[in-house]
Short mmCIF file of all heavy atoms in Angstrom, two decimals:
data_model
loop_
_atom_site.label_atom_id
_atom_site.label_comp_id
_atom_site.label_asym_id
_atom_site.label_seq_id
_atom_site.Cartn_x
_atom_site.Cartn_y
_atom_site.Cartn_z
N ALA W 1452 166.73 210.29 57.30
CA ALA W 1452 165.80 211.29 57.73
C ALA W 1452 165.02 211.83 56.55
O ALA W 1452 163.81 212.10 56.64
CB ALA W 1452 166.49 212.44 58.56
N SER W 1460 153.87 207.02 48.90
CA SER W 1460 153.80 206.73 47.41
C SER W 1460 155.16 207.01 46.72
O SER W 1460 155.44 206.33 45.68
CB SER W 1460 152.78 207.68 46.85
OG SER W 1460 153.03 209.07 46.94
N VAL W 1468 150.27 201.97 44.40
CA VAL W 1468 149.38 201.81 43.27
C VAL W 1468 148.47 200.51 43.45
O VAL W 1468 147.34 200.55 43.24
CB VAL W 1468 150.17 201.58 41.99
CG1 VAL W 1468 149.21 201.23 40.73
CG2 VAL W 1468 150.76 202.99 41.55
N GLU W 1472 144.44 200.45 43.85
CA GLU W 1472 143.65 199.64 42.98
C GLU W 1472 142.76 198.66 43.76
O GLU W 1472 141.59 198.40 43.47
CB GLU W 1472 144.36 198.95 42.05
CG GLU W 1472 143.66 198.02 41.05
CD GLU W 1472 142.80 198.78 40.05
OE1 GLU W 1472 142.86 200.03 39.92
OE2 GLU W 1472 142.05 198.14 39.37
N ALA W 1478 135.80 198.25 47.17
CA ALA W 1478 134.67 199.18 47.47
C ALA W 1478 133.60 198.77 46.39
O ALA W 1478 132.35 198.65 46.84
CB ALA W 1478 135.13 200.64 47.40
N LEU W 1491 118.90 196.29 44.33
CA LEU W 1491 118.84 197.63 43.86
C LEU W 1491 119.18 197.71 42.34
O LEU W 1491 119.57 196.68 41.71
CB LEU W 1491 119.88 198.43 44.75
CG LEU W 1491 119.69 198.47 46.08
CD1 LEU W 1491 120.88 199.20 46.78
CD2 LEU W 1491 118.35 199.07 46.58
N LEU W 1499 126.97 203.68 45.55
CA LEU W 1499 127.31 203.33 46.98
C LEU W 1499 128.85 203.33 47.19
O LEU W 1499 129.30 203.70 48.32
CB LEU W 1499 126.81 201.87 47.25
CG LEU W 1499 125.28 201.75 47.36
CD1 LEU W 1499 124.91 200.35 47.47
CD2 LEU W 1499 124.84 202.57 48.57
N THR W 1502 130.46 207.47 45.68
CA THR W 1502 130.17 208.72 46.49
C THR W 1502 131.10 208.90 47.69
O THR W 1502 131.67 210.05 47.82
CB THR W 1502 128.66 208.62 46.99
OG1 THR W 1502 127.90 208.58 45.76
CG2 THR W 1502 128.30 209.97 47.66
N ILE W 1509 138.23 214.49 47.65
CA ILE W 1509 138.11 215.97 47.74
C ILE W 1509 138.73 216.43 49.07
O ILE W 1509 139.57 217.38 49.11
CB ILE W 1509 136.65 216.32 47.74
CG1 ILE W 1509 136.09 216.08 46.31
CG2 ILE W 1509 136.40 217.76 48.13
CD1 ILE W 1509 134.58 216.31 46.23
N TYR W 1511 141.09 214.81 50.90
CA TYR W 1511 142.44 214.51 50.78
C TYR W 1511 143.20 215.52 49.94
O TYR W 1511 144.20 216.16 50.29
CB TYR W 1511 142.69 213.12 50.24
CG TYR W 1511 144.28 212.92 49.91
CD1 TYR W 1511 145.10 212.68 50.92
CD2 TYR W 1511 144.52 212.80 48.54
CE1 TYR W 1511 146.44 212.37 50.63
CE2 TYR W 1511 145.95 212.56 48.23
CZ TYR W 1511 146.81 212.33 49.22
OH TYR W 1511 148.16 212.02 48.91
N THR W 1513 142.33 218.44 49.10
CA THR W 1513 142.19 219.84 49.66
C THR W 1513 143.15 220.03 50.84
O THR W 1513 143.93 221.00 50.86
CB THR W 1513 140.77 220.18 49.99
OG1 THR W 1513 139.93 220.09 48.99
CG2 THR W 1513 140.67 221.61 50.69
N LYS W 1535 144.90 220.80 19.09
CA LYS W 1535 144.57 219.93 18.02
C LYS W 1535 144.56 218.38 18.49
O LYS W 1535 143.83 217.57 17.93
CB LYS W 1535 145.59 220.07 16.96
CG LYS W 1535 146.94 219.65 17.26
CD LYS W 1535 147.90 219.90 16.12
CE LYS W 1535 149.34 219.65 16.42
NZ LYS W 1535 150.23 219.95 15.37
N THR W 1546 130.52 209.94 17.22
CA THR W 1546 130.21 208.66 16.79
C THR W 1546 129.24 207.86 17.78
O THR W 1546 128.26 207.14 17.35
CB THR W 1546 131.45 207.79 16.56
OG1 THR W 1546 132.27 208.52 15.60
CG2 THR W 1546 131.17 206.37 16.03
N THR W 1556 113.77 211.99 29.92
CA THR W 1556 112.84 212.78 30.92
C THR W 1556 113.79 213.72 31.72
O THR W 1556 115.06 213.42 31.80
CB THR W 1556 112.13 211.97 31.87
OG1 THR W 1556 113.00 211.18 32.70
CG2 THR W 1556 111.17 210.95 31.10
N LEU W 1557 113.30 214.72 32.26
CA LEU W 1557 114.11 215.69 33.12
C LEU W 1557 114.84 214.90 34.26
O LEU W 1557 116.02 215.19 34.56
CB LEU W 1557 113.29 216.86 33.56
CG LEU W 1557 114.00 217.95 34.31
CD1 LEU W 1557 115.10 218.65 33.43
CD2 LEU W 1557 113.04 219.04 34.88
N LEU W 1568 129.10 212.35 36.10
CA LEU W 1568 130.08 213.37 36.62
C LEU W 1568 130.82 212.77 37.72
O LEU W 1568 132.09 212.85 37.87
CB LEU W 1568 129.42 214.67 37.00
CG LEU W 1568 130.37 215.89 37.34
CD1 LEU W 1568 131.34 216.16 36.15
CD2 LEU W 1568 129.57 217.11 37.77
N PHE W 1602 142.85 200.61 34.56
CA PHE W 1602 141.59 201.26 34.25
C PHE W 1602 140.72 200.23 33.41
O PHE W 1602 139.63 200.10 33.75
CB PHE W 1602 141.77 202.50 33.38
CG PHE W 1602 140.59 203.15 32.87
CD1 PHE W 1602 139.82 203.77 33.90
CD2 PHE W 1602 140.18 203.14 31.51
CE1 PHE W 1602 138.60 204.46 33.37
CE2 PHE W 1602 139.06 203.79 31.11
CZ PHE W 1602 138.33 204.45 31.97
N THR W 1605 139.59 197.30 35.78
CA THR W 1605 138.51 197.77 36.76
C THR W 1605 137.13 197.55 36.14
O THR W 1605 136.21 197.31 36.78
CB THR W 1605 138.75 199.14 37.16
OG1 THR W 1605 140.06 199.32 37.81
CG2 THR W 1605 137.74 199.63 38.17
N MET W 1608 134.15 194.86 36.23
CA MET W 1608 132.91 194.81 37.11
C MET W 1608 131.63 194.69 36.35
O MET W 1608 130.63 194.29 36.75
CB MET W 1608 132.88 196.10 37.97
CG MET W 1608 132.60 197.44 37.22
SD MET W 1608 132.66 198.97 38.09
CE MET W 1608 134.29 199.09 38.47
N LEU W 1621 135.10 193.12 24.56
CA LEU W 1621 135.09 194.35 23.84
C LEU W 1621 135.16 195.56 24.74
O LEU W 1621 135.91 196.51 24.44
CB LEU W 1621 133.80 194.45 22.91
CG LEU W 1621 133.65 195.65 22.03
CD1 LEU W 1621 134.69 195.75 21.06
CD2 LEU W 1621 132.17 195.66 21.40
N GLN W 1622 134.43 195.58 25.82
CA GLN W 1622 134.56 196.66 26.69
C GLN W 1622 135.96 196.84 27.40
O GLN W 1622 136.40 197.86 27.59
CB GLN W 1622 133.57 196.47 27.92
CG GLN W 1622 132.16 196.69 27.49
CD GLN W 1622 131.24 196.93 28.78
OE1 GLN W 1622 131.56 196.38 29.83
NE2 GLN W 1622 130.14 197.48 28.59
N LEU W 1636 147.43 211.92 26.69
CA LEU W 1636 147.08 213.37 26.75
C LEU W 1636 147.51 214.07 28.08
O LEU W 1636 147.90 215.13 28.12
CB LEU W 1636 145.55 213.54 26.51
CG LEU W 1636 144.98 213.30 25.12
CD1 LEU W 1636 143.49 213.31 25.16
CD2 LEU W 1636 145.55 214.39 24.19
N ARG W 1694 159.68 214.71 23.27
CA ARG W 1694 160.66 214.29 24.20
C ARG W 1694 162.06 214.38 23.65
O ARG W 1694 163.05 214.70 24.15
CB ARG W 1694 160.35 212.98 24.88
CG ARG W 1694 159.24 213.10 25.91
CD ARG W 1694 159.10 211.78 26.77
NE ARG W 1694 158.17 211.92 27.70
CZ ARG W 1694 158.54 212.44 28.96
NH1 ARG W 1694 159.71 212.92 29.13
NH2 ARG W 1694 157.59 212.61 29.84
#
Side-chain angles (χ1 to χ4, degrees):
S1460 63
V1468 168
E1472 179 69 8
L1491 303 177
L1499 291 173
T1502 301
I1509 291 171
Y1511 169 75
T1513 301
K1535 64 183 178 183
T1546 303
T1556 63
L1557 182 60
L1568 189 57
F1602 178 69
T1605 302
M1608 71 182 74
L1621 183 64
Q1622 281 194 339
L1636 287 171
R1694 284 190 173 277

